[in-house]
Amino acid sequence: MSRRRRAGVAALCWALFSAIFVTAQSTPDHAISSFSNLPARLFFFDDTESAIFHDSMEGNVYVSLDEGKNWKRANGIPEGETSMVIEHPVDNRYAYALTPGKKHYRTEDRGKTWRPFDVPLPPARVARPLSFHSDPKKFGYILYQGANCNRHISGSVCHDETFYTKETFSDDVKSLLKDTSRCQFAHSTKDFKHDAHTDLIYCVAYDTSSSNGAHDLSSRRLFSSTDFFFQTNKVEDLGIGKDSRGVIAFAMVSKYAVVAMKDLSPRTTGELLLYVSVDTKAWAKAHFPHASSGKLRENAYTMLESTTHSLAVDVVLQEGVSLGTLFVSNSNGTFFVESLKDTNRNNYGFVDYERIYGVEGIGMANVVANAQDVVVRGHRKRLKTVITFDDGRSWSPIKPPSEDVDKKKIACNPSDSDTCSLHFHSVTSPHNFGRIFSSPAPGFVMGVGSIGENLWNYDEGDTFLSTDGGLNWRMVHKGAHKYEFGDLGSILVMVDDEDATDSIRYSLDLGQTWNTYKIGVKLRARGLITLPDSTSQKFLLLGQVSKHDQTKDIGRVVVVYLNFSKTRGRKCNDGDYEKWYARPRNSECLMGHKQWYKRRKPDANCYVGEKYNDPIVHEDNCECTDADFECDYNFVLVGGKCEPAGPEPIPAGVCTGNPDQTYKGSSGYRKIPGNTCSGGVKKDEKVDKKCSQAQPAEGEVIHQTFEFNSHIAQHSYFKGSQTILVRLNDRTVWQSSNEGYSWRQLYPEEQFLVFYHHKYSDDRAYLITNSETFFYTTDTGRTWNIGKAPTPPNSFGAQVLRFHPTSDYLIWVGNRDCPGPNCRAEAQYSRDNGRRWDYIEGYVRNCAFAIDSQINADPTEVICESYKEKKGSQRLFSSNNPLELVVGSNFYSRKNKIFDSVVGFAKFSEFLVVAEMIQEKRSLELQVSLDGKNFALGQFPPSMRPDTYAYTILESSTKSLFLHMTMSETPAPFWGTILRSNSNGTYFGISMENVNRDDRGYVDFEKMIGLDGIALINIVSNAEEATVSGKKKLQSRITHNDGGTWSPVTPPLLDSQGQEYACKGTKCQLHFHGYTERYDPRATFSSPSVPGLIMAVGNVGETLARYTDSDTFLSRDGGFTWQEVHKDAHLWEFGDSGSVLVMANDEEPTDFILFSTDEGLHWREYKFSDQKMRVRSIVTVPMDTSRRFILMGEYPKRRGSVAVHIDFTALTSRQCVINVDDPGHDDFELWSPSEDRAEHCLFGRRTLYHRRVRTAECVVGTKPKAAANIKENCPCTKVDFECEFNHVKQPNGECVLVPGTTPLPDDDSCKNGESYWYERTPYRLIPYSSCVDGYRPDRGKEHICPGFGSKGGWFWMFMILIPFAFTALVGYYYYRRSGLARGTIRLPGDAGRTSYGRDTGVIGTLASIPWFIIGVAGIAYEWIASRVDTHMFDSRRGYRNLPIDEDAQILRFEDEE
């Protein structure tokens, strides 16, 4: 044969072979199976060809052993009995078919056969009654949660019990624990690596039993055991002791164990707390840097998909709005930083957030672009999609492709990301099984979305593909499609998701070209899945077939098996792969390494064929940079640097006492656990430190001195924090994050006028400069952000910033057009913590939000004192231009003038108080509101009109408003009368006359903190003489019944030196220097952490002596008895709940302080300086729970000021022990303020408090205190009553009508469903008293209530209770089971709706489904209920259109920091 002929034959053979080869790889094949209903579960056994189809409507299980090509009903399970199918997460041979009864079924051969097993109880009504051990060697260890129900005539009472098996139900199932809500092995996830006992189990359960199935939340605890609760049953105290009650749920999230617990401590709003552990031993509270808005009261939070080095949590910061804020944590899950604001979520708690599978650091989220309009005006959300490549440190819009699928240019400019970016439908609106965007196929991301300013509707969207982890995108088809990845991304399949279709589209070259394949049936696609690891070439398409397309062989639901194994003829070899790096170049390194995969080239015509083999991730280590380190233990991140939280603990013997000796200590940094970087920056190397910086040996006290160049003008701690801010007279601001141990200056180039702490958010503060620039923090000063105000701060004396209790809302009052002829104060508001501002009003003196923590007003309502005439310079205004009080809802867009002329307004607890000027009478009238809209006129006794005198509103913590009305005439020294109101602040009666005040309006009146009803005042004993002489003589008085009666203060018998006092007669009493003489108003007599302990400076005599002639006294029983603790006047401060008391001389400079560890029995000196300093104040954390103090003052004849940090931490290390169940056998005692009184009750109740035993040498610390114990409500006695309006108390104690007045009319309104009403008497019950029955002088003649109240109990039982009984029971059942009950948390797998996932429950199919959800149910009811009585003040609103009297004044003592 010739060479040419041989060549021709060879060419022909190759052509024939090529044709055969192309034909062989050209088309997929398919098979169709029909079913009656859509499945409740459709999933593959991991790494197998076996699949399960569970028809929950029929109660049948169908099994396929060939990846879905053929199906048959499960062998061994009776027809119609299966309610749930759960696969084993560790051993892929096992799955469990649960029935509603006690007999269930198990397969150990991936569904080929099923065998029955029995359990003691039916399964509990939870999403996943089974919990598994993660150790493959203990695959048989399973926890089973059952429901134990006892039937009664009225229904069933149920509680859950948990059982366990060690041999996957082949052994006898044994009881684990009763009254459980969830039990879980500590070893239940592969990421939670710890050395805990292999059998450690956690259970959320109740510590009390219940006969009716109902439990109090306080009995819900986290229990643990290492022997299946056989002998060990430990209550996990979470590091907070007995207060670890109210556990809502427990879950494992990545490497973290997380507990959600409701805060049940007194005076909280019931917020939820998160406690986190990474080792099952130490638990730490999670700290969030957001405000009260946040107070994580957990309107809702959702534990999102997290990494092994960070927790991700989405938190709802405002009730009733489906908007969140995404926070990410440090490596131990305890400190969170804000990552993304205004995240989109739905009412079920699902969040539009998903990490790209297999690629560290990349995630996609949807944010609400018009968040303000959604919150305020109820507008529809406009969503935008953003992406992160650095684990949430930064987010950016997704750049769209420049062309569509038809190569036509898109309609917007891709370079303008504000108006032209790519947006996707995400987790809140899923349209397929499994993850929304990605799969284990490395780098492949698909989505349905739109290009433009925001996301369009789903049916207006198109389908997009990225092959580089979301960096670059292209449109692959118009219209919305379901999609799936196979053969590690070498096969891409999609199907129309808008209309019925009879074809699918697929790509074999990474989406560059697409082919169409007919499937032989027209269906509406409901799901498209493949093996969980995306390594198979076979897919399952689930669809519904319309009635006219159904045939004998095609039912209403079909599963189409799609096989692509014949579409390519060869398996890929090494030359067909390329190295693909997982992140863009500017963020390649994350956690110390670059990440790359070996991936098939786009043009390689081959199949990967690595079935069941997950793609291998490769890591190239990077050089270490700053991003690879975090703060070491005992250090905190402040301003981007790690600063010590205090002296560093060191091993014993390292420092021997030489002050110049050094040791190797922490640099403040450590490499993030799991980080693999090497070389480069070495921030974690040990550094040389002086031993004086180390934590001292036990029993020692240490100090640290810092000098400022100017005098201290303002200082304040963040509440609940160790961080303090100081502003100096030179307009600089300094910060210490370790209680004064070290200091740093904030923004040295700026001039600061003032700083504010957020009134309602302990984490926030604002630094106000002399320009539009301000600085704010949302994390107690760890980081500061720059803000831009609309105007410079005002110079009219108005508070620059006002705050809102539940949100980021702010009000700014600044100067406009100043200096100039139209200089004025202008108010603007922000709904996003100062990012954007909107106009409120000009020419104002004061603006604030109407709502307060206890004032139930419209949250968008703003109140302003606004001048009537708005022109010219506000500085030149006179009384001819009155101040009007205007209330505006919807942020002042709907204004309503309430009063024509006012002196001012202020907020106190639940009261909003307005001083209205009545010009005709030349008098003031007091208007009081509880809701910011409806005002009632305050009525005074006839002899007590406010007229033009000043008055000071004092306090209102006991449901009464205390008011001081000045009665003396100028120019005489000032004094006046204290009046106390009824519970709604409208009727005022005299409490005490001739009470001292100064020329600024401050009053010698102070209530004891933490003890209701106890207060100290100073009265002017020589009022008539002082009117002439101008010199006041003061005496002290004390009340123990909230101002009902006042008594002299009984002096001690001996002084601090054991000597008798010179003054011995009955006129000799104890007198104190009060509020009007105090240098620092925050230096109170008492402490919130030590009930009953009071310190004061005073003297024993007939009247109060000069301050420098006074001594220091202490009381431990709420002021009943006193002792002199030291000669001379001293400043004092309480530390560690009273375990340390500190005093410094307040008469002259000193170089030492006195301290006591037994509440004043013994005092020791500590010298803190070689030169004497004049101490001006002693400062510690606001709750007095620390053992560290700061002395603030100055050195005589020297410029500047000094702060001395004194640390008593090392005095003792023994932690105080409290046992509320066995009081008297621990370090605490039970004490009542009424122990030394003739009456054993205060406010109608006997209350016992836990406080440290005086001589106990131990540390109380920051653990929550035991709640006050109300032992009993007492019968009413005379002290529970006060004089009714228009009545006055006689010397004999009787209340009589003031001559010329009339008593109030009888109140026959029969409130609260009472059966009787009583005629008024001269007496009324003190509003705060809870006494019952007993002596009731407030009740006159008895009358039966008209109408409903007169009917008997049996009548209403049949008329009301029975008709609603069934509805109530049904409603309660669904309320409890729906997951909408307040406080419920949806755990992994707890699905509120049916899912068709290939993984376990909804949590497996929707990546961002809440791993923790706190429901928001109940809010609507509370909103309605809170408004039921808002009409109650409508009848008393009288006001007149009259100008202001400029001589009148109102003093604001609002609780603004």
Side-chain angles (χ1 to χ4, degrees):
M1 184 180 295
S2 68
R3 180 180 298 176
R4 179 177 295 179
R5 186 176 180 185
R6 286 197 303 269
V9 172
L12 178 61
C13 291
W14 174 250
L16 290 171
F17 173 79
S18 298
I20 295 170
F21 178 80
V22 171
T23 302
Q25 65 175 352
S26 60
T27 59
D29 58 58
H30 71 276
I32 301 174
S33 302
S34 294
F35 298 88
S36 300
N37 305 291
L38 288 170
R41 295 289 315 281
L42 175 60
F43 66 90
F44 284 95
F45 286 86
D46 193 31
D47 290 344
T48 74
E49 295 184 351
S50 298
I52 295 291
F53 182 113
H54 175 216
D55 185 338
S56 61
M57 299 291 289
E58 287 184 346
N60 290 330
V61 176
Y62 297 88
V63 180
S64 173
L65 303 178
D66 52 9
E67 292 191 69
K69 185 175 183 179
N70 298 287
W71 296 86
K72 63 178 181 179
R73 196 165 62 79
N75 180 24
I77 304 177
E79 187 172 359
E81 289 198 7
T82 305
S83 59
M84 185 183 302
V85 181
I86 301 174
E87 69 274 35
H88 200 297
V90 178
D91 193 319
N92 64 8
R93 299 171 300 165
Y94 286 85
Y96 306 87
L98 304 186
T99 71
K102 301 178 184 179
K103 184 182 291 295
H104 309 298
Y105 300 87
R106 183 194 76 187
T107 178
E108 57 264 26
D109 52 13
R110 304 184 182 102
K112 291 180 183 178
T113 60
W114 298 78
R115 293 195 292 166
F117 63 91
D118 295 308
V119 292
L121 294 175
R125 293 184 180 92
V126 295
R128 289 182 61 82
L130 300 182
S131 181
F132 301 87
H133 202 291
S134 62
D135 186 351
K137 297 178 181 177
K138 295 197 171 187
F139 74 92
Y141 282 44
I142 302 173
L143 305 180
Y144 171 86
Q145 189 171 341
N148 190 346
C149 295
N150 297 315
R151 295 187 178 276
H152 299 282
I153 296 176
S154 57
S156 296
V157 175
C158 300
H159 68 268
D160 289 355
E161 297 184 23
T162 301
F163 301 83
Y164 70 94
T165 172
K166 293 184 177 181
E167 298 180 16
T168 187
F169 297 105
S170 294
D171 56 350
D172 291 332
V173 177
K174 298 179 182 178
S175 176
L176 181 77
L177 200 62
K178 296 183 178 181
D179 274 326
T180 58
S181 64
R182 181 175 177 83
C183 290
Q184 191 169 354
F185 289 102
H187 296 269
S188 60
T189 68
K190 58 181 176 58
D191 291 329
F192 192 30
K193 297 181 174 71
H194 49 84
D195 57 0
H197 194 286
T198 57
D199 292 342
L200 176 62
I201 296 173
Y202 289 107
C203 284
V204 178
Y206 298 95
D207 60 7
T208 59
S209 59
S210 172
S211 60
N212 62 0
H215 289 272
D216 189 88
L217 184 59
S218 63
S219 66
R220 191 155 154 154
R221 313 287 289 268
L222 181 67
F223 298 88
S224 66
S225 176
T226 55
D227 63 359
F228 296 89
F229 293 93
F230 181 66
Q231 289 183 325
T232 62
N233 187 347
K234 176 186 175 184
V235 176
E236 293 288 337
D237 65 5
L238 307 179
I240 57 174
K242 295 285 186 179
D243 293 295
S244 58
R245 299 177 178 271
V247 173
I248 300 295
F250 168 85
M252 300 290 189
V253 183
S254 186
K255 74 171 185 179
Y256 306 94
V258 184
V259 174
M261 188 184 81
K262 191 168 186 179
D263 187 355
L264 300 178
S265 56
R267 299 185 181 180
T268 65
T269 55
E271 59 262 27
L272 254 76
L273 310 173
L274 284 187
Y275 286 85
V276 181
S277 176
V278 293
D279 59 6
T280 73
K281 297 173 184 176
W283 294 87
K285 181 183 175 182
H287 296 274
F288 290 82
H290 55 78
S292 68
S293 340
K295 269 189 185 170
L296 238 59
R297 58 177 173 276
E298 309 337 301
N299 312 344
Y301 38 140
T302 304
M303 300 296 292
L304 300 174
E305 197 179 13
S306 301
T307 67
T308 56
H309 57 269
S310 180
L311 268 175
V313 182
D314 190 80
V315 181
V316 175
L317 296 187
Q318 183 165 327
E319 292 183 358
V321 180
S322 296
L323 294 173
T325 299
L326 176 64
F327 295 91
V328 294
S329 77
N330 60 349
S331 66
N332 62 10
T334 54
F335 283 96
F336 286 78
V337 295
E338 182 179 302
S339 174
L340 186 62
K341 194 173 176 61
D342 295 333
T343 51
N344 183 53
R345 52 191 292 141
N346 62 18
N347 293 331
Y348 298 100
F350 304 152
V351 182
D352 277 347
Y353 168 84
E354 182 178 292
R355 291 174 53 234
I356 302 305
Y357 189 95
V359 183
E360 290 182 340
I362 303 182
M364 295 168 62
N366 281 348
V367 296
V368 180
N370 61 333
Q372 294 190 33
D373 291 331
V374 172
V375 172
V376 179
R377 300 178 179 89
H379 287 188
R380 183 179 178 183
K381 293 178 181 178
R382 291 193 295 108
L383 304 184
K384 298 175 77 78
T385 301
V386 290
I387 191 168
T388 178
F389 295 99
D390 55 10
D391 223 9
R393 293 192 189 97
S394 62
W395 295 82
S396 59
I398 299 177
K399 187 175 181 179
S402 58
E403 299 176 336
D404 65 14
V405 69
D406 298 324
K407 304 300 182 183
K408 296 179 180 178
K409 285 191 175 182
I410 60 175
C412 58
N413 181 8
S415 62
D416 184 1
S417 60
D418 290 334
T419 60
C420 188
S421 57
L422 184 54
H423 314 284
F424 291 106
H425 291 271
S426 186
V427 175
T428 57
S429 56
H431 289 267
N432 200 9
F433 309 123
R435 307 181 72 84
I436 300 298
F437 301 114
S438 61
S439 78
F444 290 91
V445 189
M446 291 186 74
V448 173
S450 57
I451 298 172
E453 190 172 355
N454 51 266
L455 182 63
W456 302 346
N457 292 334
Y458 186 79
D459 56 8
E460 298 176 298
D462 302 310
T463 307
F464 296 83
L465 167 69
S466 171
T467 59
D468 54 9
L471 184 62
N472 297 290
W473 295 81
R474 65 176 179 268
M475 186 188 297
V476 293
H477 206 283
K478 290 188 175 180
H481 290 72
K482 297 186 189 298
Y483 44 85
E484 187 56 277
F485 311 86
D487 197 33
L488 291 180
S490 72
I491 306 174
L492 306 179
V493 180
M494 61 183 179
V495 61
D496 193 313
D497 197 24
E498 295 184 20
D499 299 303
T501 182
D502 61 355
S503 63
I504 56 99
R505 295 174 60 82
Y506 67 95
S507 174
L508 304 177
D509 54 7
L510 279 60
Q512 295 185 11
T513 61
W514 292 83
N515 305 304
T516 301
Y517 176 72
K518 295 286 186 178
I519 55 176
V521 60
K522 192 171 185 180
L523 53 77
R524 181 68 172 88
R526 297 303 181 194
L528 179 64
I529 69 171
T530 185
L531 290 185
D533 56 12
S534 293
T535 60
S536 174
Q537 300 184 65
K538 298 163 186 176
F539 298 77
L540 297 182
L541 172 61
L542 175 68
Q544 282 181 287
V545 181
S546 65
K547 187 177 295 185
H548 64 268
D549 288 324
Q550 295 175 20
T551 67
K552 179 181 179 183
D553 298 321
I554 303 296
R556 59 193 296 263
V557 174
V558 296
V559 171
V560 181
Y561 162 84
L562 299 169
N563 180 13
F564 291 84
S565 60
K566 298 178 182 180
T567 55
R568 283 128 344 140
R570 68 180 181 89
K571 192 175 187 298
C572 299
N573 56 40
D574 290 342
D576 295 311
Y577 292 96
E578 62 183 358
K579 184 184 288 188
W580 176 75
Y581 279 91
R583 285 183 296 276
R585 187 165 300 280
N586 62 352
S587 57
E588 276 186 344
C589 291
L590 188 68
M591 287 297 288
H593 55 258
K594 299 177 182 178
Q595 190 181 36
W596 61 273
Y597 288 92
K598 190 176 72 170
R599 200 170 75 172
R600 201 202 73 170
K601 296 177 181 177
D603 57 353
N605 191 3
C606 60
Y607 63 90
V608 176
E610 297 294 331
K611 200 170 185 178
Y612 310 139
N613 294 325
D614 293 338
I616 299 173
V617 58
H618 302 269
E619 295 177 354
D620 295 340
N621 290 340
C622 304
E623 284 194 346
C624 296
T625 65
D626 289 346
D628 297 308
F629 298 89
E630 65 181 8
C631 291
D632 202 353
Y633 293 110
N634 205 45
F635 289 80
V636 292
L637 185 66
V638 181
K641 296 181 180 180
C642 294
E643 295 187 355
E648 184 177 3
I650 59 173
V654 172
C655 291
T656 58
N658 182 354
D660 297 324
Q661 189 178 359
T662 62
Y663 69 97
K664 287 288 186 181
S666 171
S667 65
Y669 297 87
R670 65 168 183 168
K671 191 182 292 186
I672 298 172
N675 192 292
T676 61
C677 73
S678 60
V681 177
K682 298 180 180 179
K683 297 184 72 171
D684 56 347
E685 286 188 338
K686 299 288 186 181
V687 297
D688 289 325
K689 295 184 176 181
K690 287 188 176 182
C691 281
S692 59
Q693 295 177 276
Q695 194 174 84
E698 186 160 348
E700 294 184 9
V701 180
I702 61 171
H703 72 274
Q704 197 91 351
T705 302
F706 189 89
E707 293 190 40
F708 298 106
N709 292 326
S710 181
H711 284 288
I712 296 173
Q714 182 186 7
H715 65 83
S716 184
Y717 269 98
F718 288 88
K719 292 180 182 178
S721 168
Q722 297 179 338
T723 300
I724 184 174
L725 297 177
V726 166
R727 180 175 59 85
L728 306 181
N729 281 336
D730 62 6
R731 295 188 172 183
T732 61
V733 169
W734 296 75
Q735 175 179 322
S736 172
S737 299
N738 43 33
E739 300 178 74
Y741 180 75
S742 61
W743 295 86
R744 70 183 182 98
Q745 186 178 355
L746 301 178
Y747 304 100
E749 69 281 2
E750 297 289 345
Q751 294 279 303
F752 294 103
L753 303 181
V754 70
F755 67 79
Y756 296 104
H757 285 285
H758 199 296
K759 181 180 177 182
Y760 309 100
S761 171
D762 299 346
D763 300 331
R764 297 191 182 190
Y766 302 79
L767 311 180
I768 310 301
T769 72
N770 55 1
S771 68
E772 289 93 344
T773 300
F774 68 94
F775 299 85
Y776 67 93
T777 178
T778 60
D779 55 10
T780 62
R782 284 193 286 274
T783 58
W784 289 91
N785 311 292
I786 298 177
K788 195 74 173 177
T791 56
N794 76 85
S795 54
F796 293 90
Q799 184 168 312
V800 179
L801 273 177
R802 293 283 184 170
F803 304 104
H804 194 285
T806 57
S807 70
D808 287 344
Y809 298 168
L810 302 174
I811 290 178
W812 177 279
V813 180
N815 279 349
R816 176 67 74 186
D817 297 335
C818 297
N822 295 311
C823 177
R824 61 195 182 276
E826 180 180 281
Q828 301 207 31
Y829 72 94
S830 172
R831 295 192 292 257
D832 54 10
N833 201 30
R835 293 180 178 89
R836 292 179 295 273
W837 297 92
D838 292 290
Y839 179 78
I840 296 178
E841 184 77 285
Y843 291 98
V844 298
R845 193 178 71 174
N846 180 29
C847 284
F849 292 106
I851 193 171
D852 207 307
S853 55
Q854 297 183 51
I855 297 177
N856 187 28
D858 177 355
T860 68
E861 190 172 272
V862 175
I863 302 179
C864 286
E865 299 169 17
S866 177
Y867 285 100
K868 182 178 181 179
E869 298 294 332
K870 298 183 181 297
K871 59 184 177 181
S873 173
Q874 187 171 326
R875 300 190 190 280
L876 305 178
F877 286 175
S878 66
S879 59
N880 294 326
N881 189 4
L883 272 175
E884 299 174 333
L885 189 75
V886 181
V887 176
S889 60
N890 197 17
F891 299 101
Y892 220 68
S893 62
R894 293 193 291 269
K895 295 188 287 186
N896 179 28
K897 184 175 66 175
I898 302 296
F899 299 109
D900 290 327
S901 181
V902 298
V903 176
F905 74 88
K907 295 183 290 184
F908 301 85
S909 296
E910 65 266 45
F911 300 104
L912 173 63
V913 183
V914 176
E916 182 191 11
M917 173 56 63
I918 308 300
Q919 193 67 25
E920 289 179 352
K921 299 180 181 179
R922 302 288 300 169
S923 65
L924 293 176
E925 286 193 344
L926 193 72
Q927 300 280 352
V928 182
S929 174
L930 299 181
D931 63 0
K933 291 182 180 179
N934 303 290
F935 286 83
L937 177 64
Q939 299 191 29
F940 299 87
S943 60
M944 297 291 300
R945 294 298 308 167
D947 296 330
T948 56
Y949 302 121
Y951 62 91
T952 304
I953 298 173
L954 300 173
E955 201 265 353
S956 59
S957 64
T958 52
K959 306 300 182 185
S960 289
L961 196 61
F962 277 81
L963 179 75
H964 181 277
M965 187 177 296
T966 302
M967 302 302 294
S968 57
E969 300 278 355
T970 55
F974 295 107
W975 62 83
T977 299
I978 288 181
L979 300 105
R980 188 183 59 179
S981 76
N982 60 348
S983 58
N984 64 7
T986 55
Y987 297 112
F988 286 84
I990 296 174
S991 176
M992 192 63 182
E993 296 179 313
N994 298 333
V995 180
N996 182 51
R997 58 151 281 198
D998 63 12
D999 54 2
R1000 300 170 299 168
Y1002 295 119
V1003 179
D1004 276 343
F1005 171 94
E1006 183 167 334
K1007 282 207 167 187
M1008 299 303 103
I1009 305 173
L1011 289 179
D1012 293 330
I1014 301 178
L1016 278 166
I1017 60 171
N1018 282 339
I1019 63 169
V1020 179
S1021 62
N1022 64 331
E1024 293 184 4
E1025 176 188 326
T1027 303
V1028 178
S1029 67
K1031 296 181 180 180
K1032 296 183 285 189
K1033 294 181 180 179
L1034 304 183
Q1035 296 178 342
S1036 294
R1037 296 289 186 266
I1038 192 169
T1039 179
H1040 287 89
N1041 61 357
D1042 208 35
T1045 56
W1046 296 88
S1047 307
V1049 184
T1050 304
L1053 297 177
L1054 304 175
D1055 67 9
S1056 57
Q1057 298 173 350
Q1059 304 297 315
E1060 292 185 352
Y1061 289 97
C1063 184
K1064 300 179 181 178
T1066 56
K1067 293 183 179 180
C1068 298
Q1069 305 293 344
L1070 186 54
H1071 311 286
F1072 299 117
H1073 293 272
Y1075 193 89
T1076 58
E1077 301 180 66
R1078 196 166 292 160
Y1079 179 82
D1080 184 351
R1082 292 168 294 187
T1084 54
F1085 286 149
S1086 54
S1087 167
S1089 66
V1090 200
L1093 190 64
I1094 308 174
M1095 291 188 72
V1097 171
N1099 66 284
V1100 175
E1102 294 187 12
T1103 59
L1104 182 64
R1106 292 187 308 170
Y1107 189 77
T1108 52
D1109 294 332
S1110 300
D1111 304 312
T1112 307
F1113 293 83
L1114 178 146
S1115 172
R1116 295 188 71 248
D1117 55 11
F1120 287 105
T1121 61
W1122 293 82
Q1123 66 182 93
E1124 182 185 298
V1125 293
H1126 211 280
K1127 291 294 182 182
D1128 299 330
H1130 287 76
L1131 299 172
W1132 65 88
E1133 189 53 274
F1134 309 90
D1136 190 36
S1137 301
S1139 74
V1140 179
L1141 304 183
V1142 175
M1143 292 196 307
N1145 193 296
D1146 195 28
E1147 296 185 6
E1148 59 186 5
T1150 182
D1151 57 1
F1152 69 91
I1153 51 102
L1154 298 167
F1155 70 94
S1156 172
T1157 58
D1158 53 14
E1159 296 183 9
L1161 284 178
H1162 305 90
W1163 294 88
R1164 289 182 276 174
E1165 288 187 9
Y1166 176 74
K1167 186 175 181 179
F1168 59 83
S1169 176
D1170 292 330
Q1171 54 183 315
K1172 294 186 177 182
M1173 68 174 280
R1174 183 66 170 94
V1175 180
R1176 296 298 182 183
S1177 60
I1178 307 175
V1179 183
T1180 186
V1181 296
M1183 292 303 294
D1184 298 341
T1185 54
S1186 174
R1187 289 190 153 215
R1188 297 178 180 132
F1189 301 81
I1190 306 173
L1191 306 182
M1192 292 185 174
E1194 63 272 348
Y1195 294 122
K1197 300 180 181 180
R1198 284 177 58 179
R1199 179 173 172 270
S1201 54
V1202 62
V1204 180
H1205 165 92
I1206 303 182
D1207 188 353
F1208 295 91
T1209 304
L1211 277 180
T1212 180
S1213 60
R1214 188 177 76 84
Q1215 185 72 40
C1216 294
V1217 176
I1218 184 170
N1219 188 346
V1220 295
D1221 300 322
D1222 187 19
H1225 295 85
D1226 53 13
D1227 294 311
F1228 290 80
E1229 63 183 0
L1230 283 172
W1231 170 81
S1232 170
S1234 58
E1235 285 181 357
D1236 297 292
R1237 299 187 351 158
E1239 306 92 348
H1240 289 293
C1241 300
L1242 184 64
F1243 287 109
R1245 51 191 174 270
R1246 184 165 173 251
T1247 308
L1248 297 178
Y1249 298 85
H1250 290 267
R1251 66 179 187 182
R1252 186 188 65 100
V1253 174
R1254 191 172 194 176
T1255 57
E1257 288 285 343
C1258 60
V1259 179
V1260 179
T1262 58
K1263 289 187 176 182
K1265 308 299 183 294
N1269 181 17
I1270 298 178
K1271 299 294 289 185
E1272 59 182 339
N1273 286 323
C1274 307
C1276 298
T1277 63
K1278 190 173 183 179
V1279 296
D1280 292 305
F1281 298 89
E1282 60 189 358
C1283 293
E1284 184 56 274
F1285 182 72
N1286 279 350
H1287 291 74
V1288 65
K1289 186 172 291 186
Q1290 297 288 89
N1292 62 3
E1294 292 185 3
C1295 295
V1296 298
L1297 187 66
V1298 175
T1301 65
T1302 58
L1304 293 175
D1306 293 326
D1307 181 4
D1308 60 356
S1309 58
C1310 291
K1311 300 173 184 175
N1312 304 319
E1314 294 156 344
S1315 300
Y1316 302 94
W1317 67 271
Y1318 301 89
E1319 294 180 5
R1320 287 192 192 271
T1321 73
Y1323 300 89
R1324 65 179 176 186
L1325 186 68
I1326 294 172
Y1328 204 56
S1329 176
S1330 63
C1331 71
V1332 292
D1333 301 327
Y1335 174 69
R1336 295 303 301 257
D1338 60 326
R1339 291 181 174 177
K1341 185 178 179 181
E1342 180 182 277
H1343 299 271
I1344 297 176
C1345 285
F1348 295 158
S1350 62
K1351 301 294 183 181
W1354 286 106
F1355 172 86
W1356 290 115
M1357 178 176 288
F1358 283 97
M1359 291 298 294
I1360 295 178
L1361 299 182
I1362 291 179
F1364 284 94
F1366 177 75
T1367 304
L1369 288 173
V1370 173
Y1372 179 72
Y1373 172 83
Y1374 281 104
Y1375 178 71
R1376 289 287 300 273
R1377 289 302 178 189
S1378 67
L1380 294 177
R1382 177 179 292 274
T1384 59
I1385 287 190
R1386 194 175 303 144
L1387 292 168
D1390 288 2
R1393 53 186 179 187
T1394 304
S1395 63
Y1396 307 113
R1398 67 186 177 209
D1399 297 322
T1400 304
V1402 174
I1403 193 60
T1405 63
L1406 300 177
S1408 218
I1409 268 189
W1411 292 34
F1412 261 59
I1413 293 183
I1414 312 303
V1416 295
I1419 292 172
Y1421 168 79
E1422 292 175 1
W1423 186 89
I1424 294 169
S1426 67
R1427 284 155 174 76
V1428 169
D1429 292 327
T1430 55
H1431 64 280
M1432 62 188 296
F1433 301 113
D1434 287 349
S1435 60
R1436 299 192 190 97
R1437 277 199 44 204
Y1439 58 87
R1440 303 181 182 220
N1441 300 317
L1442 292 170
I1444 187 172
D1445 185 332
E1446 62 184 0
D1447 294 327
Q1449 68 178 113
I1450 177 171
L1451 294 172
R1452 294 186 181 86
F1453 288 83
E1454 303 180 56
D1455 188 20
E1456 303 277 9
E1457 292 295 340

